Amino acid sequence: MQKNPPLDYCEVTPSAAITPSAHGWRAKCLQRLVRLDLPVPQTVALPAQTVRAIAAGHTLDTRAILAHFGATPLVSVRPSPENPDWGGPGTVLNVGMNAGRHMALVQRHGAEAADALYLRFVQSYATHVARLDPDMFDDIKPGPKALDEALRQYEREMDEPFPEDPAQQLSEVLRSMARAWEGTSARLLRQAKGAPVEAALGLVVQAMAQGIGQGLSGSGVIQFVDPVTGLPQVTGRYLGNSQGRDALKKTEAMYLTRDPRGPSLEDLSPEIFGQLAHHGAACRTRLREEMQIEFTIEDGQLSVLDAVKVQRSARAGLKIAVALAQDGIISPEEAVLRVEPRALSELLHPQVDPRGARDVFAKGIAASPGGAVGRLVFSSPAAQASAARGEPCILVRRETAPEDIRGMHSAVGVLTERGGVTSHAAVIARGLGLPCVVGASGLRLETKDKKLTAADGRVFREGDLVTLDGTTGEVLAGAADMLAPALDDSFRTLLGWADAVRDIGIRANADTPADAAQARQFEAQGIGLCRTEHMFFDEDRLVVMREMIFADTSQDRAAALARLLPMQREDFVQLFEIMAGLPVCIRLFDPPLHEFLPHSREGLRELAEALDKPLSDVTRRAEALAEFNPMLGMRGVRLGVVLPEIYAMQAQAIFEATVEIAKKGAPVVPEIMIPLVSARREVELVKTHIDAVAAAVRVKTGVQFDYKLGVMVETPRAALRAGEIAQHAAFLSFGTNDLTQMTYGLSRDDAGRFMNTYVQQGVFPEDPFHILDVDGVGELLHIGAERGRHTRKDLTLSICGEHGGNPESIAFCRRQGFDYVSCSPFRVPLARLAAAHLALADRVDNRKFGTKS
Ligand code: PEP
Ligand code: MG
């Protein structure tokens, strides 16, 4: 046996030197309760250093500890790690119980109650300390003989009687709890919850406040907010003649406040209930947190054993933080910091209620958050028909293409067998705020038969009711219970506080009036990316678009474009009106033209009919437009250079809309963005055309207006040559979807197939389409920003790829001095909050290091 060093511990008094890092959160919290004059039973705190020494084999003078608890000590031992989320060994109650103490309890409270306490201790000691099999007590029948039988069983198993000496009992309990913390599975478990390798355990030894007695006696827990909604509400349970958390487990437990469903503590003793309410209010104001209080009543005497932070959903977390700040208990900045930005997405969409049952039949990538219940449909026309009947539906496709957009608009959720986080379905669904699961590769999809077979063999057909959980990536059979979105006053108030501190702009990617309205609702500071091609997929426009594509001559093309012009103009008028003077950045046409052509023979036949051309002509033209690598082919600015009429039409529509809006007295300065640039000359050519169109519109209308022309940096070369490109660009916006694709040489539509393996094997730390690759793509952003600003000091810099709404990308862009980030409307609130967190973290750092902000 090693020689004992003097092991440290202290009584929990108002002035004891107790810190969360040395003694753990529970010891510190108990000290705070003591300072609030709450009736906390006598407590001794063992710091982590002492617990480590005990685990290493040193022995503590437990007799000296027990001396703090009077002549006949009866105590509990509870874990106290630095962070409550790290768990720890289970509490052991009634340490010190032996024949003598049992006899005294029999006399005071009767044999039944005394037996129950002793039996409970024997069982928990046998399983937690002596490590005996918990089943060994299964055969013991409840009744007056149960205790003796349990003591006999213990002796039989251990070859020694149950220990009588309280000091020995306490020593063994402390040793087993200290060692349990050091065990491999406990370590792995807490590290999974974010605990550092060196995380240590403190322990608290507390006088037992018995929940049994002749007068009013029992135990319970109480909290003053609803854990799911965060609204003020007393919740918890109370159970007469009980200990620990029994009240939460037993059905006979009673309510706390008066309740028509049964008896309550408030009925039983309004006075004690009043004391609890008073203690709850004291905790809230002085501990600056909503706490759950564990209490015991012994013969009408209330004790507070413990208080823990109320477990809460994201929506409750926000509500509580805002209410604490509104009551002046914490500052608005602290309220902002208390809400995790990623938790906001849970508030923006309906959610699958976490408390309900989940019958999961498929799992994929969680591509767009929120939950939806609907009937399965396997095609976009079926989705539209379902919506027309007023029946919510979930659209299932192998992967989606631009022609599915109308179907997606009609669905309440989208499920695809293929794809990753930046595939078409994922991007569009996030923009629409639709829950979406992509890459559910365990499913077998038979579109023709309208049939879906799950990995477990279950078959789902068109019309079957399912629930899509885009937050977890799961698909559930049947209709799960749902929670409504929580975009209430508290939500708006918190984001208002966030805006007051953040120092980087947040815009939205919005293509349609509905997106723009959503962006305004979430208080985006403008549109950072309007993808104009989506405007051409409406049925009437698609026909004209196809005529334009099939035009043999420049004049025919011009005629088709002339028909598209008023429609485009109207699109921009609507966007400008909705955005009411906020900046709107419009990206000129980007995708390869063949995306607008039908892919089936049937579709080609219909097209031939509509264009009044032979099917063979139409097929030949479609084949001629096909490319081996369309994403690297005739798209973006390349179309603008080869077929300048398309961009000219779009520019004319933008300028005429600008004039129309100006005439209504609400001037806008449109921003026009050229996609997929890789060379300065491309910008020069397009700029020359657009300047000419602007001049023509000014002359024709007699109205002066300004506009900004900028470049979307989506190719590595554009980033490297940003210095010369910036000569012709008022702004650079980094399109990190394509830039990631091109930097890695990784198809954004196919990467989902192997991304999991790549991430699991540590090839990539994260999916780079999801989390910005700061090392590689980030370096290109840095180079592009630096070289661009070197040429033009007032160059506006932004990011508009899907990464725009991620807190990590916002941190990066902020460090690079970007002016704004742009993301899907539904990510705008998250981005506003994340940006505020970053600004507040800088303030703390500045204070720490004495730098001026
Ligand atoms: C991008 O490439 O980052 C981008 C925003 O454009 P799109 O996703 O439309 O290609
Ligand atoms: Mg792009």
Side-chain angles (χ1 to χ4, degrees):
M1 176 58 77
Q2 306 171 43
K3 194 161 168 15
N4 276 345
L7 295 183
D8 179 40
Y9 59 86
C10 66
E11 205 170 296
V12 178
T13 60
S15 58
I18 292 177
T19 61
S21 57
H23 298 84
W25 71 273
R26 177 167 264 135
K28 188 67 212 173
C29 182
L30 285 168
Q31 184 182 45
R32 291 187 177 128
L33 300 182
V34 169
R35 284 180 183 157
L36 293 181
D37 264 342
L38 263 54
V40 179
Q42 185 87 336
T43 309
V44 164
L46 275 58
Q49 213 184 5
T50 298
V51 178
R52 277 242 156 91
I54 294 172
H58 296 286
T59 48
L60 181 64
D61 183 358
T62 47
R63 219 167 286 285
I65 292 186
L66 288 173
H68 288 263
F69 299 95
T72 54
L74 211 51
V75 297
S76 66
V77 186
R78 293 166 200 267
S80 180
E82 189 177 340
N83 182 325
D85 295 337
W86 299 346
T91 295
V92 182
L93 302 177
N94 304 310
V95 181
M97 184 67 90
N98 55 20
R101 220 129 296 156
H102 176 247
M103 187 66 81
L105 283 174
V106 170
Q107 272 157 19
R108 235 178 111 196
H109 301 310
E112 199 183 326
D115 281 9
L117 295 196
Y118 201 176
L119 184 61
R120 179 187 195 128
F121 178 52
V122 173
Q123 288 183 337
S124 92
Y125 191 94
T127 46
H128 294 119
V129 181
R131 307 266 159 209
L132 297 178
D133 188 347
D135 298 351
M136 71 181 240
F137 298 111
D138 281 359
D139 296 335
I140 298 179
K141 287 194 198 67
K145 297 220 171 68
L147 174 61
D148 283 345
E149 184 50 31
L151 287 167
R152 257 198 306 278
Q153 281 271 43
Y154 181 91
E155 192 167 342
R156 252 200 310 274
E157 291 287 332
M158 296 294 292
D159 275 340
E160 61 184 26
F162 190 78
E164 277 275 295
D165 176 13
Q168 186 198 342
Q169 291 175 356
L170 181 58
S171 253
E172 294 298 326
V173 169
L174 293 177
R175 191 179 51 82
S176 92
M177 289 174 83
R179 292 216 169 138
W181 179 259
E182 305 287 346
T184 310
S185 50
R187 192 173 17 229
L188 290 177
L189 211 63
R190 66 177 173 265
Q191 279 170 11
K193 290 179 188 159
V197 183
E198 67 285 358
L201 177 74
L203 289 170
V204 298
V205 181
Q206 190 178 61
M208 280 299 298
Q210 297 296 358
I212 56 164
Q214 305 296 343
L216 179 65
S217 299
S219 65
V221 292
I222 186 169
Q223 65 186 45
F224 303 88
V225 287
D226 180 294
V228 173
T229 63
L231 291 168
Q233 190 186 340
V234 175
T235 50
R237 305 286 274 195
Y238 169 78
L239 183 64
N241 281 316
S242 74
Q243 286 191 323
R245 298 195 148 233
D246 287 352
L248 291 179
K249 294 178 214 141
K250 301 268 167 69
T251 46
E252 66 270 26
M254 59 170 83
Y255 299 98
L256 294 166
T257 43
R258 293 205 170 92
D259 196 302
R261 289 168 295 176
S264 71
L265 178 64
E266 195 175 6
D267 289 322
L268 219 57
S269 173
E271 196 193 317
I272 292 211
F273 182 80
Q275 286 174 24
L276 279 170
H278 175 77
H279 296 332
C283 282
R284 182 172 188 266
T285 36
R286 305 277 297 278
L287 303 184
R288 306 172 346 114
E289 191 41 284
E290 286 290 351
M291 304 296 280
Q292 185 190 65
I293 294 176
E294 191 175 324
F295 64 94
T296 296
I297 307 168
E298 185 175 352
D299 283 336
Q301 197 67 35
L302 177 68
S303 295
V304 171
L305 307 186
D306 208 356
V308 295
K309 211 174 122 180
V310 167
Q311 293 282 334
R312 60 199 71 178
S313 68
R315 63 183 65 206
L318 185 145
K319 238 310 158 274
I320 291 169
V322 170
L324 286 171
Q326 282 172 332
D327 293 345
I329 296 169
I330 61 174
S331 65
E333 286 81 7
E334 187 166 350
V336 165
L337 284 173
R338 283 192 187 191
V339 179
E340 186 46 47
R342 289 193 202 277
L344 281 191
S345 68
E346 199 183 309
L347 307 166
L348 305 179
H349 311 279
Q351 292 293 322
V352 178
D353 191 333
R355 296 165 297 189
R358 299 176 79 86
D359 180 6
V360 178
F361 69 89
K363 184 139 179 61
I365 297 167
S368 176
V373 177
R375 298 195 179 278
L376 286 176
V377 292
F378 294 87
S379 69
S380 288
Q384 286 166 251
S386 179
R389 291 194 302 275
E391 257 179 34
C393 65
I394 306 282
L395 175 63
V396 188
R397 306 286 292 152
R398 202 168 304 287
E399 58 201 338
T400 61
E403 66 233 33
D404 286 315
I405 288 190
R406 286 161 68 82
M408 293 178 75
H409 271 283
S410 308
V412 294
V414 178
L415 169 65
T416 66
E417 187 192 5
R418 295 191 188 146
V421 281
T422 55
S423 62
H424 181 265
V427 172
I428 301 296
R430 279 198 292 276
L432 295 174
L434 273 185
C436 177
V437 175
V438 297
S441 48
L443 286 173
R444 202 167 75 242
L445 174 62
E446 288 154 273
T447 317
K448 264 213 193 101
D449 296 343
K450 300 179 188 162
K451 195 169 126 187
L452 199 60
T453 310
D456 64 8
R458 274 192 281 178
V459 175
F460 295 84
R461 295 181 188 277
E462 188 154 278
D464 284 352
L465 206 55
V466 300
T467 304
L468 194 79
D469 190 340
T471 308
T472 61
E474 289 174 336
V475 197
L476 325 178
D481 296 339
M482 302 295 288
L483 291 172
L487 305 172
D488 53 10
D489 283 349
S490 303
F491 179 86
R492 273 184 283 278
T493 303
L494 187 92
L495 288 175
W497 292 337
D499 287 348
V501 295
R502 79 179 150 82
D503 50 15
I504 184 167
I506 311 287
R507 293 198 197 176
N509 294 352
D511 308 337
T512 61
D515 292 347
Q518 194 66 68
R520 293 278 338 247
Q521 198 200 339
F522 290 145
E523 295 177 48
Q525 291 164 287
I527 293 179
L529 171 64
C530 169
R531 294 172 161 107
T532 49
E533 58 272 13
H534 295 158
M535 296 168 167
F536 298 109
F537 279 104
D538 270 359
E539 223 158 310
D540 46 343
R541 299 179 183 202
L542 195 55
V543 175
V544 188
M545 191 66 193
R546 286 170 173 168
E547 275 177 37
M548 192 272 290
I549 295 169
F550 279 85
D552 292 322
T553 64
S554 184
Q555 276 115 326
D556 287 353
R557 189 170 308 118
L561 285 166
R563 285 168 62 202
L564 288 172
L565 175 73
M567 305 181 198
Q568 270 271 261
R569 187 171 53 225
E570 188 47 33
D571 293 332
F572 298 132
V573 167
Q574 279 190 37
L575 281 188
F576 293 156
E577 272 175 347
I578 293 168
M579 296 312 290
L582 292 172
V584 176
C585 180
I586 298 162
R587 178 180 77 182
L588 299 174
F589 194 87
D590 181 47
L593 289 180
H594 78 89
E595 280 196 11
F596 291 84
L597 299 183
H599 298 297
S600 66
R601 199 157 169 77
E602 189 49 39
L604 285 169
R605 203 191 323 275
E606 276 169 22
L607 180 59
E609 222 168 75
L611 298 177
D612 195 21
K613 288 192 183 235
L615 176 62
S616 56
D617 275 13
V618 171
T619 312
R620 206 169 317 118
R621 185 90 175 103
E623 277 166 8
L625 279 171
E627 293 174 293
F628 285 108
N629 258 327
M631 290 307 271
L632 302 178
M634 255 273 274
R635 57 170 284 219
V637 69
R638 297 160 199 174
L639 274 172
V641 170
V642 178
L643 302 170
E645 302 94 322
I646 301 175
Y647 280 9
M649 178 279 285
Q650 290 196 295
Q652 189 178 341
I654 293 168
F655 296 138
E656 287 178 359
T658 305
V659 169
E660 200 174 318
I661 291 290
K663 282 185 182 158
K664 290 183 187 166
V668 276
V669 178
E671 298 173 5
I672 300 178
M673 181 153 76
I674 313 172
L676 216 79
V677 165
S678 57
R680 177 181 62 176
R681 181 75 184 136
E682 289 169 329
V683 187
E684 272 169 6
L685 287 170
V686 172
K687 184 170 175 355
T688 308
H689 285 302
I690 290 179
D691 284 346
V693 175
V697 173
R698 285 188 191 113
V699 169
K700 193 174 88 186
T701 60
V703 176
Q704 289 302 313
F705 56 85
D706 286 329
Y707 72 96
K708 291 181 183 164
L709 186 74
V711 163
M712 198 163 171
V713 179
E714 299 178 277
T715 64
R717 192 174 192 282
L720 297 171
R721 306 304 298 161
E724 56 182 12
I725 286 173
Q727 289 166 4
H728 304 299
F731 61 89
L732 297 183
S733 188
F734 292 86
T736 46
N737 301 335
D738 272 310
L739 191 56
T740 300
Q741 168 163 268
M742 299 211 195
T743 304
Y744 279 82
L746 191 64
S747 157
R748 58 198 261 199
D749 297 302
D750 302 309
R753 289 200 198 175
F754 55 86
M755 192 55 74
N756 272 353
T757 314
Y758 254 53
V759 173
Q760 267 162 19
Q761 300 200 10
V763 184
F764 301 155
E766 305 272 3
D767 178 346
F769 290 110
H770 189 43
I771 304 284
L772 182 71
D773 159 46
V774 175
D775 298 338
V777 180
E779 187 169 5
L780 284 171
L781 260 61
H782 171 78
I783 291 171
E786 204 173 47
R787 294 184 184 172
R789 281 239 164 108
H790 187 74
T791 302
R792 200 186 263 249
K793 292 228 159 11
D794 62 349
L795 184 71
T796 301
L797 293 172
S798 62
I799 176 175
C800 63
E802 286 304 299
H803 304 90
N806 278 344
E808 297 82 358
S809 327
I810 299 173
F812 178 81
C813 293
R814 219 181 136 252
R815 279 200 302 278
Q816 302 294 326
F818 279 34
D819 297 278
Y820 69 87
V821 300
S822 189
C823 53
S824 319
F826 278 91
R827 305 192 87 189
V828 165
L830 183 159
R832 288 165 65 196
L833 187 57
H837 274 220
L838 293 163
L840 287 170
D842 273 4
R843 279 195 204 171
V844 173
D845 286 349
N846 289 342
R847 272 203 293 272
K848 228 190 279 170
F849 302 111
T851 43
K852 283 201 186 120
S853 58

